[in-house]
Amino acid sequence: MLNKKRILVTRSSMPELEEYIEEIKDLWESHWLTNMGTKHKQLQIGLLKYLDTPNIELFTNGHLALECIIAAFALTGEVITTPFTFASTTHAIVRNGLKPVFCDINLEDFTIDADKLEELITDKTTAIIPVHVYGNICNVEKIERIANKYKLKVIYDAAHAFGVTVNGISSANFGDASIFSFHATKVFNTIEGGAVSYNNENLSRILYDIKNFGITGPETVEYVGGNAKMNEFQAAMGICNLRHIDGEIEKRKVVFNRYMLQLNNIAGIRLPKERKEVKRNYAYFPVIFDQYKLNRDQVFEKLKSEDIHVRKYFYPLTNTYDCYKDKFNVEETPIAKYISERVLTLPIYADLELCEVDRICSIILNA
Ligand code: T4K
């Protein structure tokens, strides 16, 4: 008989309870719970190594990491980005008092279409914030060439790209900076959490200060900073999860490959593309339903009726949100619109059983 358990789009990876308890035990001795304690330092060192990057600053979540690095660069005017992303990317730009200018995505991997960047640059443009959506790495070489030519900063939203490498180069090393999300739903989590990796070590001080109210000394406050510190319990979770990260990614790979096998070569279903030079993290499994016998919303409902809760990441596009009503024209990003109306992200997580993957696929195929 088929097992009919409820399946959500993802499920947090967690260490054994005993491992976490062991990790947090000394907090009961130190009573040091936050404000850059020893766990914070230990995780920072672990991530520098794992992500193979020269500098990293930890944050309480990925969104504030992005807000803080934008503030640290003191950007002004316009920032080019894409609308095919989570609310965070666009909101971080707007909340810094900047104007997002939306570039379309490409049809291949849904990252920014670097061929359309230059036409959007004006004398007000100060930065590009592309998104490595689903862990798909943007056309970093072309983006870098354009950014150098026009003297623009590049901040990658690498929320989905933890551990991804291209030709052996870590996703943490592209552009001027990259932000990561360590949210419970991510490949690597610290419950909530995030980080900024960056190449200019002079940013360390300002990033540290901005996430701590702009306090630079016992009696000095130099910046109008906020509070975006990662606490010790978050860091402890990160320390534990980092020990198991390679195994978790391997398990996700098995799930990912099972979907690829089951849904391969079906007319109207487009699957993620292989890129030989890329080591994936298998964060998401996006599928495009294009002229399939059911449309995207019908597949969504069909799965829901079987208690399988897939997601439409990323629909709606950020440039159509109610809070941005009449500010942007979605017709200027037609490919993003096209994809967002056809995409579903199927359940993927380390412990998802292959028989469940098969069940999901057979519901889709036999609908
Ligand atoms: N940039 C990009 C491109 C992003 O995608 C994100 C976050 C950010 C920036 C900002 O990073 P953070 O500030 O979040 O660190 C989820 C996540 O909350 C969000 O982190 C993520 N992107 C986004 C794509 O997905 P929701 O609203 O879809 O989450 P929710 O609560 O519906 O959870 C989805 C599923 O995850 C649940 O059905 C079950 C599972 N889950 C959820 C939680 C909260 C767990 O297994 N454990 C949990 O604790 O946004």
Side-chain angles (χ1 to χ4, degrees):
M1 212 179 87
L2 284 179
N3 177 7
K4 291 241 179 179
K5 73 175 175 219
R6 180 170 207 235
I7 297 183
L8 304 178
V9 69
T10 192
R11 194 167 78 150
S12 302
S13 291
M14 295 171 82
E16 293 295 325
L17 179 59
E18 295 70 27
E19 184 180 350
Y20 186 63
I21 289 173
E22 194 53 42
E23 193 60 53
I24 60 174
K25 246 184 195 159
D26 48 359
L27 299 178
W28 265 258
E29 280 149 38
S30 68
H31 288 241
W32 193 276
L33 307 185
T34 186
N35 288 14
M36 284 67 89
T38 53
K39 304 281 174 202
H40 184 284
K41 187 74 202 161
Q42 191 183 333
L43 180 62
Q44 191 180 17
I45 291 168
L47 288 171
L48 279 173
K49 188 156 175 263
Y50 189 81
L51 294 175
D52 188 25
T53 187
N55 306 288
I56 199 159
E57 200 59 48
L58 307 184
F59 289 83
T60 194
N61 58 52
H63 178 77
L64 285 174
L66 184 53
E67 282 202 12
C68 288
I69 184 66
I70 294 173
F73 281 136
L75 300 179
T76 58
E78 298 175 359
V79 173
I80 302 176
T81 187
T82 54
F84 188 69
T85 181
F86 192 55
S88 172
T89 324
T90 304
H91 286 353
I93 295 168
V94 174
R95 285 168 60 82
N96 268 284
L98 304 166
K99 181 181 170 196
V101 172
F102 291 105
C103 184
D104 211 352
I105 58 173
N106 70 68
L107 262 176
E108 291 303 299
D109 65 6
F110 323 128
T111 62
I112 199 163
D113 185 344
D115 293 334
K116 295 191 180 134
L117 265 174
E118 271 191 282
E119 64 202 54
L120 297 172
I121 295 172
T122 71
D123 55 4
K124 295 199 185 80
T125 311
T126 54
I128 309 171
I129 304 188
V131 183
H132 297 313
V133 68
Y134 309 132
N136 295 338
I137 300 298
C138 301
N139 185 345
V140 289
E141 290 92 8
K142 180 141 199 186
I143 293 169
E144 187 177 333
R145 276 201 301 279
I146 294 170
N148 288 342
K149 181 169 164 192
Y150 294 93
K151 300 195 172 19
L152 306 176
K153 293 280 184 223
V154 179
I155 304 169
Y156 283 103
D157 182 334
H160 302 174
F162 185 88
V164 177
T165 64
V166 185
N167 290 319
I169 301 171
S170 163
S171 60
N173 291 333
F174 299 122
D176 296 282
S178 302
I179 72 98
F180 292 89
S181 166
F182 306 151
H183 184 261
T185 54
K186 296 296 187 290
V187 167
F188 167 75
N189 85 78
T190 59
I191 308 170
E192 290 265 4
V196 177
S197 62
Y198 49 98
N199 56 18
N200 180 352
E201 63 181 357
N202 295 331
L203 279 169
S204 303
R205 195 67 244 175
I206 183 164
L207 277 174
Y208 186 98
D209 295 341
I210 282 183
K211 75 174 175 187
N212 188 24
F213 307 103
I215 297 170
T216 54
E219 297 181 5
T220 45
V221 180
E222 285 181 54
Y223 310 102
V224 185
N227 181 356
K229 292 162 286 166
M230 177 182 282
N231 70 48
E232 292 290 276
F233 290 86
Q234 291 175 283
M237 185 64 130
I239 290 166
C240 295
N241 280 337
L242 198 54
R243 289 187 192 116
H244 307 288
I245 185 68
D246 289 334
E248 293 292 293
I249 292 176
E250 270 308 305
K251 287 196 205 165
R252 283 171 170 271
K253 180 179 178 180
V254 174
V255 173
F256 187 99
N257 287 342
R258 185 71 156 222
Y259 276 126
M260 292 297 274
L261 190 73
Q262 298 279 28
L263 298 176
N264 192 24
N265 268 328
I266 308 290
I269 296 186
R270 257 185 63 195
L271 302 178
K273 292 218 166 71
E274 272 298 326
R275 271 181 72 189
K276 291 255 172 312
E277 71 281 19
V278 174
K279 183 172 141 287
R280 290 178 189 270
N281 65 4
Y282 308 98
Y284 293 87
F285 195 86
V287 176
I288 309 298
F289 293 93
D290 199 0
Q291 296 178 27
Y292 185 57
K293 57 187 171 182
L294 301 185
N295 67 31
R296 185 270 307 270
D297 291 345
Q298 289 168 325
V299 178
F300 178 92
E301 291 302 331
K302 180 75 196 147
L303 289 166
K304 193 170 157 195
S305 71
E306 303 275 350
D307 222 7
I308 296 165
H309 302 269
V310 301
R311 297 299 281 264
K312 302 175 190 177
Y313 293 136
F314 289 99
Y315 174 88
L317 295 177
T318 67
N319 56 2
T320 66
Y321 285 177
D322 289 351
C323 57
Y324 298 129
K325 198 167 185 320
D326 300 329
K327 287 210 162 63
F328 308 108
N329 180 2
V330 69
E331 303 307 329
E332 288 172 0
T333 53
I335 294 173
K337 182 168 184 280
Y338 188 86
I339 295 298
S340 80
E341 287 167 354
R342 288 165 178 78
V343 68
L344 279 186
T345 49
L346 301 184
I348 187 164
Y349 45 91
D351 294 331
L352 183 59
E353 291 173 54
L354 295 185
C355 61
E356 298 296 357
V357 176
D358 293 348
R359 181 162 76 95
I360 293 165
C361 294
S362 85
I363 293 167
I364 293 171
L365 297 176
N366 299 325

